Amino acid sequence: MAQRYVVGVDGSRPGAAALRWTIARARRDPAPIVLVNVDEDDAGSRHEHLHDQARPGAVLVAAALAAVLEMLPDVPVSVALLSGSVAQALADYLGADDLLVIGTGKTGFLHGRVLGSRSVQIALAAACSVAVIPDVDLRFRRGVVAGIDRRETAPSVARTAGHEAEARNEELLLVQAVTPQELEQSGPRRDGLAVSVALAAARAACPGLELRTRLSSRAAAEALLDTSRDKALLVLGPGSLDPHHSPIGTVLHEVLLNVNAPVLVARPVEDRQLVGPVVEQSETLVSRRSS
């Protein structure tokens, strides 16, 4: 569970979608909520806690605060008016255990600048997990998808996605894009694939969870976007665990630019058994043909 929900408030439709998602999440898993707005026009006073009603974001945050207090009277709510580069100001403000929630869409995170790429910049800079919420109708969506690519991150992503699905009482689908060579090298039981490691981790963490696995021969981002188009949540890990490389890999970058479902970019936790032995599993891994 997050230490705080830090939600971006900018007056846009995607921003409103992010706030709705945060409220629903806090009803299920209560944690303090921080409503944050970033003023890019005053880079000289970055990430200060200001309550100046003359600031452009103050009215937006005040309206959001009233809405949250009405819907969640028992949840602590505060505001933060930051200044500077949006991505850097948020990165400076966030803690490692926070969950940052931002909207994404044609208007972007703030006034439509850098169309479509704001979520990528913020996810790149933030040291915590980030939920990227598009302005779509989520009322009839069910199920959680986890994108699996590497054995090193598979257990952490699978456990996070498993707990999300368990809390929703919904199915978890583990998806991995593979090449014909990877399929051949994995053997008949597919134990060499990261999705098998993920399956074992999800089973251990959430024993009663309904689980399915899928292999796809399509490009990874395409497979994930297609699978998640009617789902409630897509969970992905960072692009790289190497501190010298970008945590936003090409797959995550493409997904965030074409997002069609809420995406949770889950930062991994320390785990000494990330690549441990795989328990026996009986699910059939289905290869999805390219179309």
Coordinates of all heavy atoms in Angstrom, one line a residue, residues 149 175-196 213-218 281 283-290:
D149 N 8.6 -9.3 -19.0 CA 9.6 -9.4 -20.0 C 10.9 -10.0 -19.5 O 11.5 -10.9 -20.2 CB 9.9 -8.0 -20.6 CG 10.4 -7.0 -19.5 OD1 10.3 -7.3 -18.3 OD2 10.8 -5.9 -19.9
V175 N 1.2 -11.5 -19.5 CA 1.4 -11.5 -20.9 C 2.9 -11.3 -21.1 O 3.6 -10.4 -20.6 CB 0.6 -10.4 -21.6 CG1 1.0 -10.3 -23.1 CG2 -0.8 -10.6 -21.4
Q176 N 3.5 -12.1 -22.0 CA 4.9 -12.0 -22.4 C 5.0 -12.1 -23.9 O 4.4 -13.0 -24.5 CB 5.8 -13.0 -21.8 CG 7.3 -12.8 -22.2 CD 8.2 -13.8 -21.6 OE1 7.8 -14.7 -20.8 NE2 9.5 -13.7 -21.8
A177 N 5.6 -11.1 -24.6 CA 5.9 -11.2 -26.0 C 7.2 -12.0 -26.2 O 8.2 -11.8 -25.5 CB 6.1 -9.8 -26.6
V178 N 7.2 -13.0 -27.1 CA 8.3 -13.9 -27.3 C 8.6 -14.0 -28.8 O 7.7 -13.9 -29.6 CB 8.1 -15.3 -26.7 CG1 8.0 -15.2 -25.2 CG2 6.8 -15.9 -27.2
T179 N 9.8 -14.4 -29.1 CA 10.2 -14.7 -30.5 C 10.2 -16.2 -30.6 O 10.2 -17.0 -29.6 CB 11.7 -14.2 -30.7 OG1 12.6 -14.9 -29.9 CG2 11.8 -12.7 -30.5
P180 N 10.1 -16.7 -31.9 CA 10.2 -18.1 -32.1 C 11.4 -18.8 -31.5 O 11.3 -19.9 -31.0 CB 10.2 -18.2 -33.6 CG 9.5 -17.0 -34.1 CD 9.9 -15.9 -33.1
Q181 N 12.5 -18.1 -31.5 CA 13.8 -18.6 -30.9 C 13.6 -18.8 -29.4 O 14.1 -19.8 -28.8 CB 14.9 -17.7 -31.2 CG 15.3 -17.6 -32.7 CD 14.4 -16.8 -33.5 OE1 13.6 -16.0 -33.0 NE2 14.5 -16.8 -34.8
E182 N 13.0 -17.8 -28.7 CA 12.8 -17.9 -27.3 C 11.9 -19.1 -27.0 O 12.1 -19.8 -26.0 CB 12.2 -16.6 -26.7 CG 13.2 -15.5 -26.7 CD 12.6 -14.2 -26.3 OE1 11.4 -13.9 -26.8 OE2 13.2 -13.4 -25.6
L183 N 10.8 -19.3 -27.8 CA 9.9 -20.4 -27.5 C 10.7 -21.7 -27.7 O 10.5 -22.6 -26.8 CB 8.8 -20.4 -28.5 CG 7.6 -19.5 -28.2 CD1 6.6 -19.6 -29.3 CD2 6.9 -20.0 -26.9
E184 N 11.5 -21.9 -28.7 CA 12.2 -23.1 -28.9 C 13.2 -23.4 -27.8 O 13.4 -24.5 -27.3 CB 13.0 -23.0 -30.3 CG 13.7 -24.3 -30.6 CD 14.4 -24.2 -32.0 OE1 14.2 -23.1 -32.7 OE2 15.1 -25.1 -32.3
Q185 N 13.9 -22.3 -27.3 CA 14.9 -22.5 -26.2 C 14.3 -22.8 -24.9 O 14.9 -23.3 -24.0 CB 15.8 -21.3 -26.2 CG 16.6 -21.1 -27.4 CD 17.3 -19.7 -27.4 OE1 17.2 -18.9 -26.5 NE2 18.0 -19.4 -28.5
S186 N 13.0 -22.4 -24.7 CA 12.4 -22.5 -23.4 C 12.0 -24.0 -23.0 O 11.8 -24.3 -21.9 CB 11.1 -21.6 -23.3 OG 10.1 -22.1 -24.2
G187 N 11.9 -24.8 -24.0 CA 11.5 -26.2 -23.8 C 10.0 -26.4 -23.7 O 9.2 -25.4 -23.7
P188 N 9.5 -27.6 -23.7 CA 8.1 -27.9 -23.8 C 7.3 -27.3 -22.6 O 6.1 -27.0 -22.7 CB 8.0 -29.4 -23.9 CG 9.3 -29.9 -23.3 CD 10.3 -28.9 -23.7
R189 N 7.9 -27.2 -21.4 CA 7.2 -26.7 -20.3 C 7.3 -25.2 -20.1 O 6.7 -24.6 -19.3 CB 7.8 -27.3 -19.0 CG 7.5 -28.8 -18.9 CD 8.1 -29.4 -17.6 NE 7.7 -28.6 -16.4 CZ 6.5 -28.7 -15.8 NH1 5.6 -29.5 -16.3 NH2 6.2 -27.9 -14.8
R190 N 8.1 -24.5 -21.0 CA 8.3 -23.1 -21.0 C 8.9 -22.5 -19.7 O 8.7 -21.4 -19.4 CB 6.9 -22.4 -21.3 CG 6.1 -22.9 -22.4 CD 6.9 -22.8 -23.7 NE 6.0 -23.0 -24.9 CZ 6.4 -23.7 -25.9 NH1 7.6 -24.3 -26.0 NH2 5.6 -23.9 -27.0
D191 N 9.6 -23.4 -19.0 CA 10.1 -23.0 -17.7 C 11.2 -21.9 -17.9 O 11.6 -21.2 -16.9 CB 10.7 -24.2 -16.9 CG 9.6 -25.1 -16.4 OD1 8.4 -24.7 -16.4 OD2 9.9 -26.2 -15.9
G192 N 11.8 -21.8 -19.0 CA 12.9 -20.8 -19.2 C 12.4 -19.4 -19.5 O 13.2 -18.5 -19.5
L193 N 11.1 -19.3 -19.6 CA 10.5 -18.0 -19.9 C 10.2 -17.2 -18.6 O 9.8 -17.8 -17.6 CB 9.2 -18.1 -20.7 CG 9.4 -18.7 -22.1 CD1 8.1 -18.9 -22.8 CD2 10.3 -17.8 -23.0
A194 N 10.3 -15.9 -18.7 CA 10.0 -15.0 -17.6 C 8.6 -15.2 -17.1 O 8.3 -15.0 -15.9 CB 10.3 -13.6 -17.9
V195 N 7.7 -15.5 -18.0 CA 6.3 -15.6 -17.5 C 6.1 -16.8 -16.6 O 5.2 -16.7 -15.7 CB 5.3 -15.7 -18.8 CG1 5.5 -17.1 -19.4 CG2 3.9 -15.4 -18.4
S196 N 6.9 -17.8 -16.7 CA 6.8 -18.9 -15.7 C 7.2 -18.5 -14.3 O 6.7 -18.9 -13.3 CB 7.6 -20.1 -16.2 OG 7.1 -20.6 -17.4
T213 N -2.1 -17.1 -18.4 CA -0.9 -16.7 -19.0 C -1.1 -16.6 -20.5 O -1.9 -17.4 -21.0 CB 0.3 -17.6 -18.7 OG1 0.0 -18.9 -19.0 CG2 0.6 -17.5 -17.2
R214 N -0.4 -15.7 -21.2 CA -0.5 -15.7 -22.6 C 0.9 -15.3 -23.2 O 1.5 -14.4 -22.7 CB -1.5 -14.6 -23.0 CG -1.6 -14.4 -24.5 CD -2.6 -13.4 -24.9 NE -4.0 -13.8 -24.5 CZ -5.0 -13.0 -24.5 NH1 -4.9 -11.7 -24.9 NH2 -6.2 -13.4 -24.1
L215 N 1.3 -16.0 -24.2 CA 2.4 -15.6 -25.0 C 2.0 -15.0 -26.3 O 1.0 -15.4 -26.9 CB 3.3 -16.8 -25.3 CG 3.9 -17.6 -24.1 CD1 4.8 -18.7 -24.6 CD2 4.7 -16.6 -23.2
S216 N 2.7 -14.0 -26.7 CA 2.3 -13.3 -28.0 C 3.5 -13.2 -28.9 O 4.6 -12.9 -28.4 CB 1.8 -11.9 -27.7 OG 1.5 -11.2 -28.9
S217 N 3.3 -13.4 -30.2 CA 4.3 -13.3 -31.2 C 4.4 -11.9 -31.7 O 5.2 -11.6 -32.6 CB 4.1 -14.3 -32.3 OG 2.9 -14.1 -32.9
R218 N 3.5 -11.0 -31.3 CA 3.5 -9.6 -31.7 C 4.5 -8.8 -31.0 O 5.1 -9.2 -30.0 CB 2.1 -9.0 -31.5 CG 1.0 -9.8 -32.2 CD -0.4 -9.4 -31.7 NE -0.8 -8.1 -32.2 CZ -2.0 -7.6 -32.0 NH1 -2.9 -8.3 -31.3 NH2 -2.4 -6.5 -32.5
Q281 N 3.9 -25.9 -12.8 CA 2.6 -25.2 -13.2 C 2.0 -25.9 -14.3 O 2.6 -26.5 -15.2 CB 2.9 -23.7 -13.6 CG 4.0 -23.5 -14.6 CD 3.4 -23.3 -16.0 OE1 2.2 -23.5 -16.2 NE2 4.3 -23.1 -17.0
E283 N -0.8 -24.4 -16.3 CA -1.4 -23.5 -17.2 C -0.8 -23.7 -18.6 O 0.4 -23.9 -18.8 CB -1.4 -22.1 -16.8 CG -2.4 -21.7 -15.8 CD -2.0 -22.1 -14.4 OE1 -1.0 -22.8 -14.2 OE2 -2.7 -21.7 -13.4
T284 N -1.6 -23.6 -19.6 CA -1.2 -23.6 -21.0 C -0.8 -22.2 -21.5 O -1.6 -21.3 -21.3 CB -2.2 -24.2 -21.9 OG1 -2.5 -25.5 -21.5 CG2 -1.7 -24.3 -23.4
L285 N 0.3 -22.1 -22.0 CA 0.8 -20.8 -22.5 C 0.3 -20.7 -24.0 O 0.8 -21.5 -24.8 CB 2.3 -20.6 -22.4 CG 2.8 -20.6 -21.0 CD1 4.3 -20.6 -21.0 CD2 2.2 -19.5 -20.2
V286 N -0.5 -19.7 -24.3 CA -1.1 -19.6 -25.6 C -0.3 -18.6 -26.5 O -0.2 -17.5 -26.1 CB -2.6 -19.2 -25.5 CG1 -3.2 -19.2 -26.9 CG2 -3.3 -20.2 -24.7
S287 N 0.2 -19.0 -27.6 CA 0.8 -18.1 -28.5 C -0.2 -17.4 -29.3 O -1.0 -18.1 -30.0 CB 1.8 -18.9 -29.4 OG 2.5 -18.0 -30.3
R288 N -0.2 -16.1 -29.3 CA -1.1 -15.3 -30.1 C -0.5 -15.0 -31.4 O 0.5 -14.4 -31.5 CB -1.5 -14.0 -29.3 CG -2.6 -13.2 -29.9 CD -2.8 -12.0 -29.2 NE -3.9 -11.2 -29.7 CZ -5.1 -11.1 -29.2 NH1 -5.3 -11.7 -28.0 NH2 -6.0 -10.3 -29.7
R289 N -1.2 -15.3 -32.5 CA -0.7 -15.0 -33.8 C -0.7 -13.5 -34.1 O -1.6 -12.8 -33.7 CB -1.5 -15.8 -34.9 CG -1.3 -17.3 -34.7 CD -2.2 -18.0 -35.8 NE -2.1 -19.5 -35.6 CZ -2.8 -20.3 -36.3 NH1 -3.7 -19.8 -37.2 NH2 -2.7 -21.6 -36.2
S290 N 0.3 -13.1 -34.9 CA 0.3 -11.7 -35.3 C -0.8 -11.5 -36.3 O -1.1 -12.3 -37.1 CB 1.7 -11.5 -36.0 OG 1.7 -10.1 -36.4

